Amino acid sequence: GAGVSQSPSNKVTEKGKDVELRCDPISGHTALYWYRQSLGQGLEFLIYFQGNSAPDKSGLPSDRFSAERTGGSVSTLTIQRTQQEDSAVYLCASRYLLATTYEQYFGPGTRLTVT
Amino acid sequence: QKEVEQNSGPLSVPEGAIASLNCTYSDRGSQSFFWYRQYSGKSPELIMFIYSNGDKEDGRFTAQLNKASQYVSLLIRDSQPSDSATYLCAVMTGGGNKLTFGTGTQLKVEL
């Protein structure tokens, strides 16, 4: 079946503008994660959604970052008043909660460049 | 101290050799450990996962876990040029809901 999809694949924005990044998880995967990967760095956890439970927002770096997940499926990560340090690849992953492997399936990412 | 530490490399090995990738973690309560492979410009993909002390083999890959030493490693036998990638070690934390990743080790398999 289809994998995790993300849009846009690339986004260039000016400092101070708001951006929205979209993630469409694998059908049936109730767990959804957002990560950020800066150049030469590992993946930094941002936020986790599981079903109708309150999201784990412990990784969001500032209050300029927010995310929502509508209808338990598509998720949007919003960055307000973007800064140059927000430039990174934003990766979304989903997981089938009952899978014993705990494998997270990653989307292709959105490369965000703030000029 | 970082929660998950890896040598950034690059680690260069000749084709056909064994590549050994290492990772240490700080949370002694961690239960599950993962190795992801990430090709340049691509998203990570799961290679191996391990929960129990000892070795776990899957084809040319062997994951090794030593919880007492808080150490997990990945061995790649008969390394191929197609194995050239960055290998990310990840540890499950937060009650099983999230992964903490190391910064990755770049592996180069040379002809």
Side-chain angles (χ1 to χ4, degrees):
Chain A
V4 177
S5 60
Q6 292 185 245
S7 61
S9 55
N10 281 283
K11 177 71 176 178
V12 180
T13 190
E14 292 180 353
K15 178 182 174 181
K17 296 286 181 68
D18 298 352
V19 294
E20 284 190 353
L21 312 180
R22 176 188 167 106
C23 172
D24 203 336
I26 294 172
S27 177
H29 283 195
T30 57
L32 186 148
Y33 305 78
W34 282 98
Y35 295 89
R36 177 170 70 175
Q37 188 171 33
S38 302
L39 187 64
Q41 299 298 310
L43 276 70
E44 175 189 5
F45 168 79
L46 296 177
I47 189 169
Y48 161 72
F49 294 92
Q50 168 44 37
N52 295 321
S53 302
D56 177 351
K57 304 179 181 180
S58 60
L60 294 179
S62 77
D63 58 8
R64 296 186 295 105
F65 288 73
S66 63
E68 63 177 19
R69 189 178 185 191
T70 55
S73 181
V74 173
S75 177
T76 302
L77 177 69
T78 301
I79 309 173
Q80 296 179 308
R81 305 181 301 283
T82 52
Q83 303 295 311
Q84 288 187 330
E85 61 262 29
D86 299 334
S87 297
V89 176
Y90 289 81
L91 289 160
C92 174
S94 70
R95 176 165 78 90
Y96 178 57
L97 206 60
L98 299 181
T100 56
T101 62
Y102 294 96
E103 180 172 3
Q104 295 183 18
Y105 294 83
F106 285 85
T110 293
R111 181 175 299 277
L112 175 66
T113 303
V114 182
T115 62
Chain B
Q1 181 189 9
K2 293 182 180 178
E3 292 184 60
V4 180
E5 295 209 43
Q6 296 181 255
N7 189 319
S8 62
L11 172 65
S12 294
V13 300
E15 184 178 7
I18 296 175
S20 178
L21 306 163
N22 304 314
C23 172
T24 58
Y25 59 95
S26 61
D27 184 353
R28 188 170 288 278
S30 299
Q31 295 294 318
S32 306
F33 307 87
F34 304 82
W35 283 99
Y36 279 79
R37 177 175 64 196
Q38 187 175 26
Y39 291 113
S40 181
K42 302 295 185 181
S43 53
E45 56 179 335
L46 184 67
I47 297 295
M48 294 280 290
F49 63 93
I50 187 167
Y51 306 144
S52 304
N53 274 328
D55 295 359
K56 179 182 178 182
E57 186 176 319
D58 183 1
R60 294 187 298 112
F61 299 94
T62 298
Q64 298 175 318
L65 174 61
N66 184 325
K67 291 187 178 180
S69 299
Q70 296 174 242
Y71 175 96
V72 59
S73 65
L74 179 70
L75 301 178
I76 306 175
R77 289 181 299 282
D78 189 24
S79 296
Q80 301 297 309
S82 59
D83 295 326
S84 297
T86 295
Y87 289 80
L88 301 167
C89 173
V91 176
M92 183 164 282
T93 58
N97 292 333
K98 63 183 182 182
L99 294 177
T100 300
F101 284 83
T103 54
T105 298
Q106 184 184 6
L107 174 66
K108 294 184 177 181
V109 181
E110 300 168 334
L111 295 171

